[in-house]
Amino acid sequence: MPKSKTKYLKPFKNLFVIILIVFAVWMLFFDANSWLIHHELNTDIEDLENEKDYYKKEIKKDKKEIKELSTNDGIEKLAREKYYMKKDNEDIYIIEYQDSIPKKKEDE
Protein backbone atom coordinates (compact mmCIF):
# COMPACT_ATOMS: atom_id res chain seq x y z
CA MET A 1 0.00 0.00 0.00
CA PRO A 2 1.21 3.50 -0.71
CA LYS A 3 2.17 5.58 2.31
CA SER A 4 -0.50 8.26 1.61
CA LYS A 5 -3.35 5.78 2.17
CA THR A 6 -1.88 4.35 5.34
CA LYS A 7 -1.35 7.85 6.67
CA TYR A 8 -5.09 8.52 6.59
CA LEU A 9 -6.12 5.05 7.79
CA LYS A 10 -3.75 4.98 10.75
CA PRO A 11 -6.20 6.60 13.24
CA PHE A 12 -8.86 4.01 12.31
CA LYS A 13 -6.58 1.19 13.42
CA ASN A 14 -6.86 2.43 17.00
CA LEU A 15 -9.60 0.53 18.91
CA PHE A 16 -10.65 3.59 20.91
CA VAL A 17 -11.21 5.66 17.78
CA ILE A 18 -13.34 2.91 16.26
CA ILE A 19 -15.39 2.60 19.44
CA LEU A 20 -15.83 6.39 19.60
CA ILE A 21 -17.04 6.53 15.99
CA VAL A 22 -19.47 3.64 16.49
CA PHE A 23 -20.76 5.27 19.70
CA ALA A 24 -21.25 8.64 17.96
CA VAL A 25 -23.11 7.08 15.04
CA TRP A 26 -25.26 5.05 17.42
CA MET A 27 -26.15 8.10 19.53
CA LEU A 28 -26.91 10.31 16.52
CA PHE A 29 -29.09 7.91 14.54
CA PHE A 30 -30.10 4.70 16.30
CA ASP A 31 -30.59 5.39 20.01
CA ALA A 32 -34.00 6.13 21.52
CA ASN A 33 -32.69 9.59 22.41
CA SER A 34 -31.09 10.21 19.02
CA TRP A 35 -30.61 13.60 17.42
CA LEU A 36 -33.20 12.77 14.75
CA ILE A 37 -35.88 12.00 17.33
CA HIS A 38 -35.04 15.15 19.30
CA HIS A 39 -35.31 17.23 16.14
CA GLU A 40 -38.72 15.72 15.34
CA LEU A 41 -39.94 16.26 18.90
CA ASN A 42 -38.75 19.87 18.91
CA THR A 43 -40.67 20.48 15.69
CA ASP A 44 -43.79 18.97 17.27
CA ILE A 45 -43.36 21.17 20.34
CA GLU A 46 -43.07 24.27 18.17
CA ASP A 47 -46.23 23.34 16.26
CA LEU A 48 -48.13 22.74 19.49
CA GLU A 49 -46.99 26.07 20.93
CA ASN A 50 -48.23 27.84 17.79
CA GLU A 51 -51.54 26.02 18.12
CA LYS A 52 -51.71 27.01 21.80
CA ASP A 53 -51.22 30.68 20.89
CA TYR A 54 -53.97 30.41 18.26
CA TYR A 55 -56.43 28.94 20.75
CA LYS A 56 -55.56 31.59 23.36
CA LYS A 57 -56.43 34.29 20.80
CA GLU A 58 -59.66 32.49 19.97
CA ILE A 59 -60.56 32.29 23.67
CA LYS A 60 -59.99 36.03 24.06
CA LYS A 61 -62.17 36.70 21.02
CA ASP A 62 -64.92 34.40 22.33
CA LYS A 63 -64.84 36.02 25.79
CA LYS A 64 -65.26 39.41 24.14
CA GLU A 65 -68.24 38.14 22.14
CA ILE A 66 -69.80 36.59 25.26
CA LYS A 67 -69.38 39.90 27.08
CA GLU A 68 -71.09 41.73 24.21
CA LEU A 69 -73.94 39.21 24.15
CA SER A 70 -74.53 39.48 27.89
CA THR A 71 -76.38 42.79 27.34
CA ASN A 72 -79.85 43.18 25.87
CA ASP A 73 -78.49 45.40 23.08
CA GLY A 74 -75.96 42.73 22.11
CA ILE A 75 -78.64 40.03 21.97
CA GLU A 76 -80.90 42.27 19.89
CA LYS A 77 -78.06 43.08 17.49
CA LEU A 78 -77.25 39.39 17.03
CA ALA A 79 -80.91 38.49 16.48
CA ARG A 80 -81.36 41.23 13.89
CA GLU A 81 -78.12 40.67 11.96
CA LYS A 82 -77.80 36.91 11.99
CA TYR A 83 -81.35 35.59 12.29
CA TYR A 84 -83.18 38.51 10.59
CA MET A 85 -85.61 38.90 13.49
CA LYS A 86 -87.70 42.04 13.81
CA LYS A 87 -90.10 43.80 16.11
CA ASP A 88 -93.82 43.58 15.38
CA ASN A 89 -94.10 47.08 13.96
CA GLU A 90 -91.02 46.90 11.69
CA ASP A 91 -90.26 45.93 8.14
CA ILE A 92 -86.82 44.61 7.21
CA TYR A 93 -85.22 45.13 3.82
CA ILE A 94 -82.12 43.15 2.91
CA ILE A 95 -80.01 44.88 0.31
CA GLU A 96 -77.53 42.73 -1.57
CA TYR A 97 -74.97 44.14 -3.89
CA GLN A 98 -74.20 42.52 -7.22
CA ASP A 99 -70.78 41.28 -6.12
CA SER A 100 -72.18 39.67 -2.94
CA ILE A 101 -74.59 37.39 -4.82
CA PRO A 102 -73.05 33.97 -5.63
CA LYS A 103 -72.78 33.31 -9.35
CA LYS A 104 -74.44 30.26 -10.90
CA LYS A 105 -72.37 27.86 -12.94
CA GLU A 106 -72.94 28.23 -16.67
CA ASP A 107 -73.05 24.44 -17.18
CA GLU A 108 -76.26 24.08 -15.17
Side-chain angles (χ1 to χ4, degrees):
M1 280 178 85
K3 283 195 171 204
S4 63
K5 286 187 179 181
T6 59
K7 181 175 133 180
Y8 295 115
L9 295 176
K10 189 173 184 180
F12 294 108
K13 291 181 181 180
N14 188 341
L15 182 64
F16 294 112
V17 172
I18 294 172
I19 290 173
L20 180 65
I21 291 172
V22 169
F23 178 74
V25 169
W26 179 265
M27 292 305 288
L28 285 174
F29 300 107
F30 300 115
D31 191 49
N33 298 317
S34 71
W35 177 81
L36 296 173
I37 292 174
H38 275 283
H39 180 69
E40 183 178 328
L41 291 175
N42 287 337
T43 305
D44 290 345
I45 288 171
E46 188 176 316
D47 292 343
L48 289 172
E49 286 176 351
N50 290 338
E51 193 173 330
K52 179 180 156 185
D53 292 339
Y54 168 77
Y55 284 121
K56 281 185 177 182
K57 289 177 186 174
E58 289 295 313
I59 288 171
K60 283 183 183 178
K61 187 174 86 172
D62 289 345
K63 283 183 180 181
K64 182 180 176 185
E65 287 183 23
I66 288 171
K67 189 174 182 180
E68 289 176 3
L69 289 175
S70 63
T71 63
N72 286 336
D73 291 336
I75 294 172
E76 183 178 345
K77 181 180 176 185
L78 176 72
R80 287 176 179 269
E81 291 178 0
K82 188 167 184 175
Y83 298 108
Y84 304 115
M85 294 183 170
K86 64 180 184 97
K87 294 181 180 176
D88 291 334
N89 58 354
E90 289 182 326
D91 290 328
I92 296 179
Y93 298 98
I94 300 172
I95 300 171
E96 292 183 354
Y97 295 102
Q98 187 67 28
D99 59 348
S100 66
I101 299 172
K103 295 181 180 178
K104 294 182 180 178
K105 293 182 180 178
E106 294 181 20
D107 296 337
E108 298 178 338

